[in-house]
Amino acid sequence: MSEIVAIEFEEEIMLLLVQAGAARSAAISALRLAREGRFSEAQQQLAAAGESISAAHQQQTALIGLDEGSGKLPVTLILVHAQDHLMNAMLIQDLAGEIIELYRRTAAGGTDA
């Protein structure tokens, strides 16, 4: 791998980590807001998590493009770490949406409203 490609690779991994971390933070923030009954703000944070996950997917796609599907890029610990962060952020976002809905229903008196 050339030095330029290696630098691009590292930059893309770091961007993936940043976006995944932002998504996770926003989803956790959404849960905390919902627990306080602040559902509108919780939904805004959940939407922010979704935007960060979309950005992380773009970084992931860029990494796949650098690899060209042929195993050109090394599978490093930081790459595995970044992928782990993205997967966890996606899971937290999905679960946060479900838990926020439960909080909302509980606040509404347990109805399906």
Side-chain angles (χ1 to χ4, degrees):
M1 176 175 9
S2 74
E3 186 175 330
I4 292 172
V5 172
I7 291 170
E8 263 185 69
F9 179 59
E10 289 176 16
E11 288 174 359
E12 295 298 330
I13 291 171
M14 294 311 294
L15 288 170
L16 175 59
L17 271 169
V18 166
Q19 292 299 336
R24 180 191 178 282
S25 293
I28 295 295
S29 176
L31 282 169
R32 290 181 179 139
L33 288 163
R35 185 175 58 211
E36 296 171 3
R38 298 163 60 188
F39 299 110
S40 178
E41 294 168 84
Q43 284 305 127
Q44 290 172 353
Q45 285 297 303
L46 208 50
E51 290 172 14
S52 292
I53 285 173
S54 291
H57 271 293
Q58 289 176 355
Q59 298 313 124
Q60 185 182 47
T61 300
L63 288 168
I64 291 167
L66 287 172
D67 187 61
E68 297 176 346
S70 61
K72 291 180 180 180
L73 298 177
V75 178
T76 62
L77 184 57
I78 193 73
L79 176 59
V80 172
H81 182 64
Q83 288 296 118
D84 185 47
H85 268 276
L86 177 55
M87 290 174 57
N88 282 317
M90 293 170 69
L91 176 62
I92 291 167
Q93 180 197 28
D94 289 345
L95 289 175
E98 294 298 320
I99 293 168
I100 289 168
E101 179 60 19
L102 290 173
Y103 279 133
R104 189 185 65 75
R105 288 182 185 194
T106 301
T111 65
D112 287 338

